[in-house]
Amino acid sequence: MSHEAVIAQLNECLKHEWTGVAQYSQASFIVEGVWREVYAKTFMENAEESFGHAKLVGDKIVALGGVPAATRNEIKQTRDLQEILQNSLEFESKAVEMYTKALELAEGNRPLVIFLENILEEEQEGVDEFTKLLRNSETSVAASVDSKTA
């Protein structure tokens, strides 16, 4: 296992987590209408989870001898709830992909593997949750369109 390769991948994960803090916070600020009460809290909780992951990953990078990234990637912004949910699913899916790659690089370092598996499990739960939310919202949108055309 190369510490440099692991640190580089963890820094990519860290930048992704910083992006999540900003993107989910922004979503919680701008969600409006009848769904605000439902989703604003959910998006803020996701921002807090991203910040928690950023703290863990940043500390791990330092423990491995690296310097944590202080930048983030570009955030996706929209006022459309369906797009926000889709962006959230894509964000969580990308996180799963990134932590899976870090896990492959950590092979042979059992404590690091367990550390990454724990974060990966939470990211996969995010994928599952947004998948279910999108499934329900697509059904609701289709049902409301059907009832208007019937």
Side-chain angles (χ1 to χ4, degrees):
M1 176 192 77
S2 159
H3 274 323
E4 295 78 25
V6 170
I7 290 167
Q9 184 60 29
L10 287 177
N11 262 318
E12 289 305 309
C13 293
L14 181 57
K15 288 188 334 191
H16 193 69
E17 296 296 0
W18 289 135
T19 305
V21 171
Q23 187 166 309
Y24 283 127
S25 295
Q26 179 72 354
S28 78
F29 301 151
I30 64 174
V31 68
E32 297 175 309
V34 296
W35 292 110
R36 178 166 179 73
E37 214 171 301
V38 175
Y39 287 108
K41 182 180 175 200
T42 298
F43 292 133
M44 190 51 71
E45 287 170 353
N46 278 283
E48 291 166 1
E49 181 180 288
S50 285
F51 184 62
H53 290 167
K55 289 190 294 187
L56 291 170
V57 172
D59 281 341
K60 185 58 73 178
I61 289 167
V62 172
L64 293 171
V67 177
T71 58
R72 64 170 170 78
N73 303 316
E74 190 173 333
I75 68 169
K76 293 182 178 181
Q77 296 187 77
T78 178
R79 287 185 172 275
D80 181 89
L81 179 58
Q82 196 70 23
E83 284 180 44
I84 293 171
L85 292 171
Q86 187 61 46
N87 290 343
S88 298
L89 176 59
E90 290 169 11
F91 178 85
E92 296 294 327
S93 297
K94 178 72 174 171
V96 166
E97 184 183 306
M98 295 176 86
Y99 282 106
T100 299
K101 184 174 179 184
L103 259 168
E104 291 167 5
L105 294 169
E107 195 66 40
N109 181 337
R110 190 73 187 130
L112 184 56
V113 165
I114 293 168
F115 170 84
L116 292 167
E117 284 176 342
N118 288 334
I119 296 174
L120 178 59
E121 181 181 25
E122 290 182 2
E123 298 296 357
Q124 183 59 52
E125 288 169 0
V127 168
D128 295 348
E129 196 57 34
F130 283 111
T131 298
K132 290 185 282 188
L133 287 170
L134 278 163
R135 188 178 304 133
N136 186 37
S137 63
E138 287 167 0
T139 304
S140 299
V141 169
S144 80
V145 170
D146 288 346
S147 69
K148 288 177 187 169
T149 57

